Every structure is written in structure tokens, then in C-alpha cells.
Amino acid sequence: MYDGIVQELIDEFGRLPGIGPKSAQRIAFHILQTPSFDVSRLASLLVDIRERVRFCEICGNVSEQERCAICRDPRRDQTLICVVEDAKDVAAIERTREFRGLYHVLGGAISPIGGVGPDDLRIAQLMQRLADGTVTEVILATNPNLEGEATATYLSRLLTTLQIAVTRLASGLPVGGDLEYADEVTLGRAFEGRRAV
Amino acid sequence: MYDGIVQELIDEFGRLPGIGPKSAQRIAFHILQTPSFDVSRLASLLVDIRERVRFCEICGNVSEQERCAICRDPRRDQTLICVVEDAKDVAAIERTREFRGLYHVLGGAISPIGGVGPDDLRIAQLMQRLADGTVTEVILATNPNLEGEATATYLSRLLTTLQIAVTRLASGLPVGGDLEYADEVTLGRAFEGRRAV
């Protein structure tokens, strides 16, 4: 639609997740027409990111060093490990400031349809971390969907062999949500998990 | 939230229009975790785009040459000029394949609140293009909003001094739309502009 490089840039932005053709066009024109936007900075970050970012050798979180900032922090509770699917989930939990233990990033969830089995996840590394007996509780914080539940079930069975408490995040109504609009499964979970007040 | 460069890349993507913090995070992780995504290609396009892209000296459309592909094309009807606010509008009209004339990109619309007056737009250049009498019709295709209408009104008054037909794109119900959900102004316009069948 456009001459050469403008269309190339639009196409390239369109390859990123969540960016459709219209958004890609808007972004390309913004870059073209906004002199204050620092293109060279974005360009150099793109070039550097793959070289500079690695995954923490202990927990699998993103890190610029061999061990991530959380695994390096001695003030974190070394007896607690929260198991998540993805590094993005670590950031989401950190934002709550509710958890002061360590993490373990699986790198996905078991999905027979997606062709992801237990051997494709960082489960062996988790078992190795639990071997020395320091950890007393493993919190399974995989997503509350089919794959996440399957992964949590698989892990909880695997961990029964060890003398470690295994817990799962509570499912229920989202805070600030409207009961009327909750789906049946969530509402059912909220009933199952009801507490005395 | 993240270590160094990951957060920097997320912040940089968050500066682009239409990309919030969550989308920026998703994009940064996609780039980090998708080996097939060609970061160096996107980086080099970003560096090149400002150098290689200029604006057509005649119509103001984006171009890699002094004159854009439309202004260079002798098969386009040289007697018709369609006036638009932005180069993105040229692409939108080209997609319809309904118009075979030339364009004139104003570079915005008159907006007293935004501090944009007639002198900030490419209006003098338009008058210059119309001076030799080749053009017989000017189609005002500014946006059907307050600023676009003000700009169209301003231009139509200015053009009455010349012997040139001045037209405006039709306003009305969008094709495929639902009468029930149309806003009052659009529905009012659709009545005003009704045609015999």
C-alpha cells in the first residue's frame, strides 16, 4: 500500500503479538512523524536484548546475570518456592508484594494438544532444587485453565513422594468483579472454596 | 519490575501509540523468546526509516523519492485533487480503488484547542497547485469530526474565489452498520443526505 520501507516497517510491527495492520500503520507513522521519538534507542535495545538477557540458571526467570535478582537476594524466604508457567507471572506476583519466597519458572504448561509434555518443562530442575530439604512449601501458581490445572495436578502427584507441603492459589471471584457476570466455573469454585467469616 | 534492559525495552514499546504496559511486556517477551523473530531487521528498519522517507514535494504524501508514486503516475487524473488530513488517509482511499485523481495532504486539521491554525497546514501549497487551472474539482476528504469540518468549511470558502468545483465526501450510515446503533448526528446526516431511489 505504501512505498517500500514504510510498508516494510508496518509489516514488521504487524508481526508482533497483539498488533494488527491498523495499529502497525499508526505506530510506523508515529515513528516517522514524531521527531522526539528516539528510534536509535529502540533499535539498539532490540539488538542488545537477545545478547544481554539470559535466563536465571536457578529459577528460569529473565536476568542479565547468571542468577536473577530474586535468587541473589538473601532476604527472600529460602524455604518457599512458587512455581509459575512464565517469567511474566513472576512480575505479576512481585507486583502484589504478597510473596517473599523464591520462584521456579516452568517455561509453559502441560498441553497434549500443544504437544507440550512434562519433559518439555523445567520440572527436573525443580526436583533438584527440592532435593536438599531446605524448601518446606511449594506453591503451585500455574494458570487456572485446563493446561495450568493439568500441570498443577501432575506436579502435586510428583511431590507427594517428598516431605513438602504443596499448595495451590485460591480460585474464586475476582475482587471488584460482579457476581452476575462471573462464569459458572468461577462461581462454582468460589462456592467450593468458601470460608467462614 | 524487571532487571535492566528488559524493563527498558518494555518502557520503550510503551511509548508507542496504542501500546499499554501489558502489551509492551507481551511484545518484549515475544521478542526475547521467539528465535525466529528477526530483531536486527526491525532495528535496521527503524534506523533507516527517518533517513530514507521524505514527504512528496507536491502532495505531501510519504515517499522515498522527491515525488511520490501517485504524483509520478501519468495515468492518474490530473484534473482532480482529493484533500486529506494525513498520509494514512491517502492509503485508506487508495484501498477503495474508487479514486484515480491526485491527493493533497494538509498535515492535520484546523483546531483552535490544539493550537493548529490554517498557516500550520499545507494550504498555501494547495493554492499554488490550483493556480494554473488544470484542476477542475477539489474533493474535501477531511475527517467528519469538528476539526475536519472546520477545515473543510475554511477551504471551501477560500476556494470560492477560483473557478473550481468543490465537493465534500458524503456523510451517512456506515455500510453494514445497524441503524439502531447509529449515533444521532450520523443518523441526522443520513436523513439530510437522503437520495431518491
Side-chain angles (χ1 to χ4, degrees):
Chain A
M1 202 56 60
Y2 291 98
D3 273 15
I5 194 174
V6 179
Q7 191 59 47
E8 284 175 49
L9 187 65
I10 293 173
D11 291 345
E12 210 58 34
F13 273 114
R15 284 197 184 92
L16 295 171
I19 299 186
K22 292 257 165 161
S23 309
Q25 176 183 285
R26 196 172 154 211
I27 292 168
F29 273 86
H30 176 83
I31 288 171
L32 206 55
Q33 295 173 335
T34 314
S36 63
F37 185 82
D38 192 347
V39 279
S40 55
R41 182 170 153 74
L42 179 54
S44 71
L45 283 171
L46 284 167
V47 169
D48 289 354
I49 189 137
R50 286 237 187 102
E51 280 173 23
R52 276 173 52 188
V53 176
R54 54 179 91 196
F55 295 92
C56 171
E57 59 177 12
I58 298 176
C59 75
N61 191 12
V62 288
S63 175
E64 284 184 60
Q65 297 181 39
E66 282 185 9
R67 297 185 174 193
C68 75
I70 296 170
C71 287
R72 288 199 311 269
D73 186 349
R75 292 165 304 176
R76 305 287 304 213
D77 186 341
Q78 311 287 319
T79 67
L80 271 176
I81 286 186
C82 178
V83 176
V84 295
E85 294 181 20
D86 198 277
K88 289 194 282 283
D89 302 328
V90 173
I93 295 171
E94 284 297 285
R95 276 193 287 271
T96 70
R97 299 174 176 278
E98 285 285 332
F99 180 68
R100 295 297 303 161
L102 304 173
Y103 292 93
H104 192 83
V105 179
L106 293 174
I110 295 169
S111 165
I113 294 168
V116 180
D119 295 343
D120 301 312
L121 305 175
R122 297 180 68 258
I123 292 175
Q125 289 92 325
L126 174 63
M127 299 310 281
Q128 211 177 322
R129 288 179 73 183
L130 302 176
D132 71 357
T134 312
V135 175
T136 56
E137 183 181 349
V138 169
I139 302 167
L140 301 174
T142 51
N143 289 324
N145 56 25
L146 203 68
E147 290 81 13
E149 297 287 3
T151 310
T153 306
Y154 177 89
L155 286 175
S156 64
R157 281 183 196 157
L158 200 65
L159 296 174
T160 48
T161 55
L162 305 168
Q163 294 296 318
I164 295 175
V166 178
T167 56
R168 179 97 178 95
L169 291 190
S171 268
L173 297 172
V175 177
D178 216 331
L179 197 134
E180 182 182 355
Y181 298 117
D183 63 286
E184 307 92 279
V185 184
T186 301
L187 201 50
R189 286 289 177 82
F191 267 93
E192 267 178 49
R194 68 190 181 276
R195 292 178 177 203
V197 286
Chain B
M1 202 55 60
Y2 292 97
D3 275 13
I5 193 174
V6 180
Q7 191 59 45
E8 284 175 51
L9 186 65
I10 292 172
D11 291 344
E12 210 59 34
F13 273 115
R15 283 196 185 93
L16 295 172
I19 299 186
K22 292 258 165 162
S23 309
Q25 176 183 285
R26 195 171 155 212
I27 291 168
F29 273 86
H30 176 83
I31 288 171
L32 206 55
Q33 296 172 336
T34 314
S36 62
F37 185 82
D38 192 347
V39 279
S40 55
R41 182 170 154 74
L42 179 54
S44 71
L45 283 172
L46 284 167
V47 170
D48 289 354
I49 190 140
R50 287 236 187 101
E51 281 173 25
R52 276 174 51 188
V53 176
R54 54 179 90 195
F55 295 92
C56 171
E57 58 176 13
I58 298 177
C59 74
N61 190 13
V62 287
S63 174
E64 284 184 61
Q65 298 182 37
E66 283 185 9
R67 298 186 173 191
C68 75
I70 295 169
C71 286
R72 288 200 311 271
D73 186 349
R75 291 165 304 175
R76 307 286 303 212
D77 185 343
Q78 312 285 319
T79 67
L80 271 176
I81 287 186
C82 178
V83 177
V84 294
E85 294 182 19
D86 199 278
K88 289 194 282 284
D89 302 327
V90 172
I93 295 171
E94 284 295 287
R95 276 193 287 271
T96 69
R97 300 174 177 276
E98 285 285 331
F99 180 69
R100 296 297 303 162
L102 304 173
Y103 292 94
H104 192 82
V105 179
L106 293 173
I110 295 169
S111 164
I113 295 167
V116 180
D119 295 343
D120 301 312
L121 305 176
R122 299 180 67 257
I123 292 175
Q125 289 92 324
L126 174 64
M127 299 310 280
Q128 212 177 322
R129 288 180 73 184
L130 301 176
D132 71 356
T134 312
V135 175
T136 55
E137 182 180 350
V138 169
I139 301 166
L140 300 174
T142 51
N143 289 324
N145 57 24
L146 203 67
E147 290 81 12
E149 297 286 4
T151 310
T153 305
Y154 178 88
L155 287 175
S156 63
R157 281 181 196 159
L158 200 66
L159 297 173
T160 48
T161 56
L162 304 168
Q163 294 297 318
I164 294 174
V166 179
T167 57
R168 178 99 178 95
L169 290 190
S171 268
L173 297 173
V175 178
D178 216 331
L179 197 134
E180 184 183 357
Y181 298 117
D183 63 287
E184 307 92 279
V185 183
T186 302
L187 200 50
R189 287 288 177 83
F191 268 93
E192 266 179 50
R194 68 190 181 278
R195 292 177 175 204
V197 286

